[in-house]
Amino acid sequence: MTRAVRSTPFFAVFISALAIAPSSNSIAQAANRVLEEVIVTAQKKEQGLLEVPASVSVISGDMASEAALLDTQDIVQYTPNVKFVSSNSIPTLTIRGFGTPPGARNLEPSVGIVIDGVYFGRPNFANDGAYDIERLEVLRGPQGPLFGKNSVAGVLNFTTQAARPETGGYFALSAGNLGERRIEGAASFPLVSDRIGTRIAFRKRDRQQGVYNTTIDVENEFNDLSARLRLNWDIGDSNALGIDYFWADSDSLGTPIQMHEVTDRARAEYLEHDPRFEDDPFDTNQSVQEGYSERKVESLTVRYRHDWEEIGAFNNLGMEITGNIAEILSPFLQDSDFSPIDFTLLSSIDADGYEQKSFEWRFSGDLPAPFGWGEGLDLLAGYNRFVSENTSSIRIDFKLDQLEDVIQSGGGGLPPNSELAAVPIIIAEGSAPGQGDTRFVESAVYTRAEADSVFLQGTWYLTPQIDLTAGLRYTDETKTGFSYSESDSQVVASRIAGQQNFYATYDERETDVAPKLALSWEIFEDFRAFVSVTKAFKSGGISGPLISPIDVTYRPEEAQSTEIGIKSFLLDRTLQLNLTAYQVKYTDLQIYAFNGNQTTTLNGDKATGRGFELDFQWLPPLPILTVAGSVGFTDATYDEYPCAPGPATQSTDDNPPGCRTEEPRQNLAGETLQFAPRFSASLFPSLRFPVSDSWGMLIGLDILYQGEHYLNIDLDPLSKQDATTKVNLRIGLAERNGGWRFVLNAK
């Protein structure tokens, strides 16, 4: 029996109305157009995109609004070599084929999430920066020197709309099929005086998931309500104080998972429990017991900034102090065998939680050229303290009165041909007075990490055309925790689930040094080439929640990247073209995989990624047309992984020598990683032209391609996602002064 994530075609229509929304995407009126350079904060300071010696893609908030990009999964489709699979509780996020695997609730992330300058230590925060957005910067490759541990694959750097004292805002209504309803809005206004800017933003979204549960007669749904408050107080004398608070509450009823290719024996038994059962993964029906997941988020940030025009040898010296506290609560319940038999339910013991506290003290400024060589030097230095606590748990409830039906279907952890006589034996062995007919297993893992870092990065302008950037970060981290499992009937739990009672503790200290060196050369005006070498680390830890004390701990992971690229404006600044080629090598790659008894975190030896990314934007001679797009190629493969999990259809007789024999094993050396499509591409031309003195029309076409890839680490052919091409079309009317805008999107 295997399971498949639903992958049916999807069509949606969104109708949006926006008011009081000044837009930089005004209708084109002049033939002599040029591209303006995008300002980013990819190196923790504002600078032009051409100045950043790294592979960075930028999606603007205007683009996200017009194209009805409702969450991070929608937005990153327009950037090369990025894969995001949205989930209310555990999203999957990879860059260049490497990232946080699905289901790994206690594993440190590989892709960092940064919202308005604050690092958030779980991918679950990704959608909290995806509304009222100014821009999203996708930083590919290791980002350890500036963003610290656990950014070995890259960073998603969100910048939301700032708090300003000017009055303005917007309100958007969207509707689509699958019951899609979305309300979003924001307002900026002065508070008390024109020195205090305020911005309030909110988002409410409700939709069906497109999956109907025939067993319990329920349509799966998703609901989300989010809000953000930003304050900025210009105190005067070059002092500013900022406060950011955001909150989110989302819940998902059901899970979009369906049976795929069950045996005749299982089908006959499932039909007894649900006469409408089908194992067609494309019919949008499922046969499972109840399930849900929730996500409750809160975050509070306070920042203070002071600027000096000149102090000592420094010019434009600035100091910024930032403190943050944030948490996520994520209770869940799901049918653990994904069948209509009401045998087991999997849930969190309480509301699983993650909490972080961070403090950063940072200085930046300009200095004269060292030894009088060159044009000058700018420096960025700081101290960061990051404390996090994470609790992940599972409770499995077994209903013994359904055990006979499970065995009849060929499941239950017993051989498919087991005699049904085993049922009363198991029940008798595991029974005790007053227990009833339900047994349980509880497992949990808790970790607390305390990391102190100091970092320094400087850019030395050797000549007006050549600059050298060097960075270094030293981190000292202590991580403590425990992992345990217990059951009220070890006989039942061990026979059915392979459970063992245990309690393990963890106490480790890690130190690492993450360096960066980059050389950038402006070969001619608006055409720069760069080469960079970067190293980053990802923390080790204790696995869990586990049901047995096997593979309890895992080692830190290391990534080393080399990039070479160009950034340019061409054709009199009507064409922007950025191209990066890279190679990244991972040592002790952390893998979340089935080890023959349970799913746990392992170290998969070595892996290598190679490829390139290309972004472009073009203003052709036709003054109403703009063309943009991207192309990405990645080859992410294991160098060594001799005893990787094998597909369920493989015989254990075919296991490589020296590997365990209780479950299928295979040698994945030279094979691809999961969630690592080799090719990705996008093309999104748009037309903008006036239709009256006050109104203009916009028309956009988006073509988004992503190559085939596997969804499971065992590379089972049944988990192979075919290549997909998505075509989106939008047409709208917009006031030429940036006021009302009405857009129809078909996806």
Side-chain angles (χ1 to χ4, degrees):
M1 187 185 343
T2 59
R3 302 184 294 275
V5 177
R6 173 179 172 268
S7 57
T8 57
F10 176 71
F11 177 80
V13 176
F14 300 93
I15 303 174
S16 305
L18 293 91
I20 334 172
S23 170
S24 60
N25 277 340
S26 58
I27 303 299
Q29 302 182 60
N32 298 323
R33 301 177 296 163
V34 295
L35 290 168
E36 300 294 333
E37 187 165 12
V38 176
I39 302 300
V40 297
T41 56
Q43 297 192 110
K44 293 197 172 185
K45 61 181 180 179
E46 290 190 349
Q47 59 187 150
L49 183 59
L50 260 67
E51 301 175 51
V52 180
S55 178
V56 181
S57 294
V58 181
I59 298 294
S60 71
D62 285 328
M63 172 68 181
S65 175
E66 286 187 2
L69 307 182
L70 304 183
D71 54 27
T72 302
Q73 177 174 276
D74 285 346
I75 298 173
V76 299
Q77 294 178 102
Y78 294 78
T79 65
N81 289 343
V82 181
K83 175 71 176 177
F84 188 94
V85 180
S86 187
S87 167
N88 193 40
S89 56
I90 314 169
T92 301
L93 177 56
T94 62
I95 295 180
R96 295 175 172 174
F98 297 91
T100 307
R105 291 181 289 145
N106 189 54
L107 182 62
E108 301 291 353
S110 298
V111 178
I113 303 297
V114 176
I115 303 175
D116 295 322
V118 175
Y119 174 89
F120 292 90
R122 286 295 181 270
N124 314 55
F125 286 98
N127 280 326
D128 296 309
Y131 67 99
D132 193 35
I133 185 174
E134 179 179 320
R135 67 181 181 274
L136 168 61
E137 304 166 20
V138 179
L139 286 59
R140 288 177 287 263
Q143 304 295 323
L146 283 182
F147 293 96
K149 273 193 168 188
N150 309 328
S151 58
V152 292
V155 165
L156 298 188
N157 187 19
F158 293 87
T159 300
T160 67
Q161 295 290 343
R164 297 183 177 90
E166 298 85 9
T167 300
Y170 73 94
F171 181 76
L173 296 173
S174 302
N177 69 336
L178 295 178
E180 179 84 48
R181 298 292 185 272
R182 186 170 185 250
I183 304 173
E184 182 180 314
S188 294
F189 51 89
L191 185 68
V192 181
S193 72
D194 59 4
R195 285 184 174 272
I196 303 179
T198 308
R199 189 168 184 89
I200 300 174
F202 75 95
R203 172 184 64 187
K204 188 179 190 306
R205 184 184 182 193
D206 304 297
R207 64 174 172 83
Q208 299 169 358
Q209 297 190 61
V211 178
Y212 175 71
N213 190 329
T214 58
T215 300
I216 60 175
D217 194 25
V218 167
E219 186 79 39
N220 292 354
E221 296 180 348
F222 172 78
N223 304 283
D224 173 70
L225 179 61
S226 305
R228 181 187 300 115
L229 170 66
R230 304 197 71 186
L231 297 173
N232 187 68
W233 180 16
D234 181 5
I235 301 174
D237 296 326
S238 301
N239 292 282
L241 179 68
I243 299 176
D244 295 344
Y245 172 79
F246 66 77
W247 167 91
D249 187 354
S250 58
D251 60 85
S252 179
L253 178 62
T255 177
I257 293 178
Q258 299 174 246
M259 285 288 182
H260 188 176
E261 294 193 20
V262 303
T263 64
D264 292 339
R265 174 182 178 176
R267 183 182 294 105
E269 186 62 35
Y270 293 160
L271 287 170
E272 293 291 327
H273 292 261
D274 181 1
R276 291 179 290 179
F277 169 79
E278 296 181 68
D279 59 341
D280 177 0
F282 305 108
D283 66 357
T284 72
N285 291 327
Q286 65 178 184
S287 296
V288 298
Q289 299 303 313
E290 62 180 325
Y292 70 88
S293 65
E294 295 184 37
R295 190 184 76 101
K296 300 178 183 294
V297 177
E298 278 193 279
S299 172
L300 175 65
T301 301
V302 178
R303 59 172 57 86
Y304 168 75
R305 182 171 180 86
H306 181 78
D307 294 299
W308 297 270
E309 290 185 4
E310 184 176 341
I311 181 169
F314 279 95
N315 291 314
N316 303 315
L317 180 63
M319 177 191 71
E320 186 165 319
I321 300 174
T322 304
N324 170 266
I325 181 170
E327 70 171 0
I328 291 180
L329 296 177
S330 50
F332 70 92
L333 171 71
Q334 71 179 37
D335 184 344
S336 59
D337 64 355
F338 301 99
S339 83
I341 301 176
D342 189 12
F343 175 54
T344 61
L345 284 178
L346 178 69
S347 64
S348 53
I349 298 175
D350 293 310
D352 283 4
Y354 170 82
E355 181 178 342
Q356 68 173 54
K357 298 176 183 178
S358 64
F359 171 84
E360 184 165 291
W361 190 7
R362 188 169 74 237
F363 291 87
S364 61
D366 304 329
L367 285 169
F371 316 110
W373 299 343
E375 304 295 314
L377 177 71
D378 68 39
L379 287 176
L380 178 72
Y383 162 77
N384 180 280
R385 177 166 175 80
F386 192 88
V387 179
S388 65
E389 295 183 71
N390 186 85
T391 302
S392 300
S393 65
I394 57 171
R395 177 186 170 102
I396 309 173
D397 288 289
F398 302 95
K399 298 183 179 180
L400 296 185
D401 61 348
Q402 299 292 307
L403 180 57
E404 181 176 334
D405 294 343
V406 171
I407 294 177
Q408 185 67 47
S409 72
L414 298 176
N417 296 320
S418 293
E419 296 293 334
L420 294 180
V423 175
I425 296 174
I426 294 175
I427 294 175
E429 289 176 344
S431 296
Q435 279 189 311
D437 62 358
T438 301
R439 305 291 179 270
F440 73 85
V441 170
E442 287 189 351
S443 303
V445 60
Y446 167 82
T447 56
R448 175 182 173 86
E450 300 183 17
D452 293 279
S453 304
V454 290
F455 57 91
L456 173 68
Q457 180 164 301
T459 299
W460 186 0
Y461 300 96
L462 301 173
T463 74
Q465 293 78 33
I466 299 175
D467 53 74
L468 179 68
T469 298
L472 191 70
R473 189 184 193 102
Y474 172 79
T475 301
D476 186 334
E477 181 179 48
T478 300
K479 184 175 285 188
T480 59
F482 60 83
S483 182
Y484 78 90
S485 181
E486 63 181 18
S487 172
D488 65 344
S489 176
Q490 274 223 274
V491 173
V492 174
S494 62
R495 290 284 294 270
I496 296 176
Q499 187 266 348
Q500 301 176 42
N501 285 356
F502 78 94
Y503 185 91
T505 60
Y506 184 81
D507 188 351
E508 292 289 338
R509 179 184 178 187
E510 298 172 7
T511 60
D512 64 69
V513 177
K516 175 180 180 177
L517 188 64
L519 180 68
S520 179
W521 176 26
E522 187 176 31
I523 300 175
F524 50 84
E525 186 178 5
D526 292 332
F527 188 98
R528 299 187 73 92
F530 71 89
V531 59
S532 68
V533 179
T534 310
K535 181 180 285 188
F537 296 85
K538 183 178 173 184
S539 299
I542 184 168
S543 296
L546 305 175
I547 61 174
S548 66
I550 301 175
D551 298 317
V552 176
T553 62
Y554 54 92
R555 301 184 302 277
E557 174 183 300
E558 177 183 314
Q560 182 170 322
S561 172
T562 302
E563 295 185 358
I564 182 170
I566 60 170
K567 296 191 171 184
S568 64
F569 284 110
L570 305 171
L571 304 179
D572 296 325
R573 294 185 72 94
T574 61
L575 173 64
Q576 183 175 19
L577 183 68
N578 301 325
L579 173 64
T580 303
Y582 70 89
Q583 175 177 280
V584 58
K585 287 187 170 291
Y586 287 81
T587 304
D588 286 329
L589 180 70
Q590 293 172 7
I591 296 169
Y592 194 65
F594 190 70
N595 67 3
N597 183 64
Q598 61 197 339
T599 303
T600 185
T601 304
L602 308 168
N603 290 96
D605 295 329
K606 299 179 180 179
T608 300
R610 299 180 181 89
F612 69 85
E613 294 105 15
L614 181 147
D615 290 287
F616 71 91
Q617 185 176 13
W618 180 40
L619 303 177
L622 182 63
I624 63 174
L625 176 64
T626 300
V627 182
S630 66
V631 178
F633 169 78
T634 187
D635 180 19
T637 58
Y638 298 101
D639 296 336
E640 302 173 15
Y641 197 2
C643 294
T649 54
Q650 176 188 315
S651 169
T652 57
D653 295 337
D654 297 327
N655 286 10
C659 299
R660 294 173 180 169
T661 58
E662 50 288 267
E663 292 289 335
R665 298 287 166 180
Q666 61 179 322
N667 188 346
L668 287 182
E671 299 293 337
T672 184
L673 278 69
Q674 65 181 135
F675 292 101
R678 290 173 67 85
F679 287 98
S680 59
S682 64
L683 181 66
F684 38 107
S686 61
L687 293 169
R688 300 172 183 275
F689 52 90
V691 294
S692 72
D693 291 340
S694 302
W695 291 86
M697 177 166 285
L698 61 93
I699 300 173
L701 174 68
D702 305 335
I703 303 173
L704 310 171
Y705 174 83
Q706 196 160 77
E708 64 183 21
H709 56 280
Y710 290 93
L711 306 179
N712 288 343
I713 191 173
D714 60 11
L715 308 186
D716 189 324
L718 292 177
S719 75
K720 189 176 184 179
Q721 168 69 61
D722 291 336
T724 58
T725 301
K726 299 180 182 180
V727 179
N728 304 335
L729 177 66
R730 59 186 174 276
I731 183 170
L733 290 173
E735 283 192 297
R736 298 174 68 181
N737 64 1
W740 287 94
R741 184 167 64 207
F742 301 88
V743 185
L744 175 69
N745 276 275
K747 297 190 176 185

